[in-house]
Amino acid sequence: MIIASNFKTNHTRKSTREFIEVVNEHLKTDSKSDVYVFPTATGLDEFETVSNLNIGAQNAYPTQKGSFTGEIGTEQLDEFGIKTILIGHSERRHVLGESQEEIAKKYAFYKELGYKIIYCIGEPLEVKEQGLEQTLEYVYEQFVGIDTNYENLILAYEPVWAIGTGVTATTQDIQDVHSAIKGKIDKPLLYGGSVKVANVAEICAIDNVDGALIGTASWVKEDFIKIIELTKDI
Ligand code: 13P
């Protein structure tokens, strides 16, 4: 399974290092899990990791360097050998106002450089309430301008109403959306939204779920390791 932790705006540089070192130690005896950690930009650093532990950026601007106040580019990522990036996360779309056009531009830039991209999609509550057809229509709009044949692409379906709310999508919800997306795009597909120790095994066992992208429940290293343990044989 692919298990990813999105730190969002949590952890310091020091606690990020502690987290990564503990997870890395754990993975020395688990080569089956494919693990990703997305620290804050200030938590990025040079990390010695086993091959199935990947450190990525939560965000970066589509530039090598330049005048984009508050942003980072590949010059900063290259310093730490970062070649993985999260693009299209719902908080960047809905809280920070990134448009599909900006997201597509970012995607094309990082694709060109061969980055591994975890690309997020998901619908807000008012769309979910209109039914599956509208949900899929909304989700497909989030693929406009995105080359879904890209070899280093992992998708993450994260319904906005399930993120950080404690409300997880039902098995049926996940199955419906995942099988529809998989029918169109043959890429690994993670589920995200209130995944935790108590539900991760059940979620990862659903057809067409290739892993989980986790926020809140992944920030405690012991819990994240439990999550990795619980899913390694699925
Ligand atoms: P939570 O696990 O806190 O719901 O967040 C999910 C998420 O947004 C991961 O990217």
Side-chain angles (χ1 to χ4, degrees):
M1 283 282 140
I2 300 171
I3 299 294
S5 167
N6 176 5
F7 277 15
K8 306 190 179 185
T9 319
N10 297 280
H11 279 295
T12 60
R13 186 183 199 78
K14 184 165 176 264
S15 66
T16 297
R17 177 162 288 282
E18 285 164 6
F19 184 102
I20 289 170
E21 281 173 1
V22 169
V23 171
N24 188 57
E25 204 48 43
H26 176 80
L27 289 175
K28 285 182 178 165
T29 55
D30 169 8
S31 55
K32 282 197 254 178
S33 305
D34 198 5
V35 177
Y36 291 80
V37 177
F38 294 90
T40 64
T42 62
L44 296 177
D45 208 340
E46 258 174 88
F47 297 106
E48 288 257 326
T49 60
V50 291
S51 61
N52 53 332
L53 174 57
N54 239 292
I55 310 302
Q58 290 176 29
N59 179 49
Y61 202 71
T63 189
Q64 185 209 3
K65 58 182 184 172
S67 300
F68 306 100
T69 300
E71 298 283 340
I72 58 169
T74 56
E75 185 173 82
Q76 289 75 40
L77 297 175
D78 285 347
E79 184 178 12
F80 306 124
I82 305 288
K83 283 282 177 205
T84 303
I85 187 166
L86 206 58
I87 295 181
H89 191 277
S90 85
E91 283 144 21
R92 296 214 57 87
R93 292 179 189 270
H94 301 291
V95 182
L96 296 149
E98 253 180 50
S99 67
Q100 185 60 29
E101 200 184 340
E102 287 167 319
I103 290 167
K105 202 170 142 199
K106 191 176 286 188
Y107 184 95
F109 181 87
Y110 283 96
K111 180 195 120 178
E112 194 57 35
L113 294 173
Y115 275 59
K116 165 117 351 165
I117 298 175
I118 298 199
Y119 185 70
C120 306
I121 54 206
E123 82 291 357
L125 185 60
E126 64 271 22
V127 174
K128 191 241 179 326
E129 284 171 343
Q130 290 166 33
L132 180 60
E133 204 179 309
Q134 281 78 1
T135 296
L136 292 174
E137 208 173 285
Y138 186 95
V139 165
Y140 293 148
E141 286 289 309
Q142 296 177 323
F143 286 112
V144 171
I146 302 298
D147 174 8
T148 53
N149 291 317
Y150 178 46
E151 56 183 2
N152 278 328
L153 170 61
I154 296 174
L155 301 173
Y157 170 59
E158 299 202 301
V160 181
W161 47 271
I163 295 178
T165 57
V167 181
T168 319
T170 63
T171 300
Q172 193 64 51
D173 288 331
I174 299 173
Q175 221 159 28
D176 288 346
V177 176
H178 275 236
S179 65
I181 295 173
K182 277 276 198 179
K184 281 187 171 259
I185 306 166
D186 185 20
K187 293 290 168 188
L189 178 55
L190 316 182
Y191 169 78
S194 297
V195 175
K196 47 185 185 252
V197 172
N199 62 17
V200 70
E202 197 185 328
I203 289 169
C204 286
I206 298 171
D207 277 353
N208 295 315
V209 173
D210 301 302
L213 175 56
I214 310 160
T216 317
S218 72
W219 301 333
V220 175
K221 48 187 179 311
E222 291 78 11
D223 288 350
F224 189 55
I225 286 170
K226 257 186 228 158
I227 286 171
I228 294 169
E229 271 289 297
L230 284 163
T231 53
K232 75 167 188 225
D233 294 316
I234 298 174

